[in-house]
Amino acid sequence: MTKLTLGSHPHMLGFEQLERLLVRTAKTGNEGYPPFNIEQTSDRGYRITLAVAGFAEEDLSITVEDRQLVIRGRQRDDSSERVYLHRGIAARQFQRSFVLAEGVDVGDATMENGLLHIDLTQVMPETRIVYVRPVSTAILPDDVREELGNIDEVYAVHSAAGERLALVTERDMAFVLARQNDLSPVAVH
């Protein structure tokens, strides 16, 4: 039997990255230790809290690797300095991973009463709108008109503040230019 994946399905083109993300998330089982909470602190803010009693700040490392937040804990073994009559608290190491969505930034990490708090913020990209409008070549400087030749109308691509970004001879090209620069084009007549 052939395994059907998102990337090989004929109606699911370009989903290979999503499939890799799902596989990577499934591999971060972590056996439930240490326990954690994820809370939403604002519209775009989150906090991950891990119960790390017995770990000092220097026993913990927090890194971002390939869009994964990775928290590792390794306690120093001080058993040679102590004589235990009973040892019920294990000095074990752990690794906890959380897959981060694009645009999620890791902020501050603080320790408080055996809890490690890690703040996350979802950054929304700035939307920049530009306008595409027809412009008569008669209002352009002489040297620009000479370069354009017998063209009577061009299309100006400009920002909402009026900053001219480009002049192009074809309307469709103006929209392509705006989209290539991650701008949201709006036609003005």
Side-chain angles (χ1 to χ4, degrees):
M1 181 175 205
T2 305
K3 178 183 172 187
L4 185 62
T5 62
L6 287 175
S8 65
H9 193 278
H11 299 290
M12 304 288 282
L13 301 174
F15 283 86
E16 295 84 6
Q17 184 176 0
L18 177 61
E19 183 177 13
R20 285 192 301 271
L21 179 67
L22 291 171
V23 168
R24 195 170 66 196
T25 302
K27 288 181 179 178
T28 60
N30 295 325
E31 303 167 9
Y33 180 78
F36 66 93
N37 292 335
I38 300 175
E39 60 184 296
Q40 187 166 5
T41 57
S42 68
D43 286 345
R44 300 187 200 287
Y46 304 92
R47 174 174 273 184
I48 298 173
T49 301
L50 284 86
V52 291
F55 287 87
E57 284 187 40
E58 54 270 4
D59 296 335
L60 301 169
S61 76
I62 302 167
T63 58
V64 177
E65 303 166 6
D66 192 27
R67 287 188 30 210
Q68 276 191 344
L69 172 64
V70 179
I71 301 108
R72 292 181 180 93
R74 170 176 249 137
Q75 290 178 318
R76 284 177 255 116
D77 186 20
D78 61 352
S79 60
S80 62
E81 301 169 9
R82 298 181 182 191
V83 177
Y84 290 97
L85 300 178
H86 170 75
R87 187 164 186 180
I89 302 172
R92 65 194 240 195
Q93 61 186 15
F94 71 87
Q95 177 174 314
R96 227 348 144 183
S97 300
F98 300 90
V99 177
L100 301 175
E102 188 141 343
V104 173
D105 291 339
V106 178
D108 293 334
T110 56
M111 286 278 289
E112 176 184 27
N113 300 325
L115 298 174
L116 173 65
H117 303 288
I118 303 169
D119 293 322
L120 307 171
T121 306
Q122 185 176 21
V123 179
M124 298 305 288
E126 179 185 333
T127 301
R128 187 170 165 208
I129 297 177
V130 297
Y131 297 94
V132 176
R133 65 182 179 94
V135 175
S136 170
T137 56
I139 66 168
L140 298 176
D142 291 338
D143 58 332
V144 175
R145 274 201 319 266
E146 285 177 23
E147 195 173 317
L148 291 171
N150 293 332
I151 297 174
D152 294 329
E153 189 174 70
V154 293
Y155 293 89
V157 180
H158 62 90
S159 68
E163 170 192 8
R164 183 169 290 163
L165 304 173
L167 281 175
V168 293
T169 56
E170 296 178 26
R171 184 174 189 267
D172 292 340
M173 185 55 77
F175 286 97
V176 168
L177 175 70
R179 286 189 192 101
Q180 283 178 342
N181 291 294
D182 294 326
L183 306 172
S184 300
V186 175
V188 177
H189 298 284

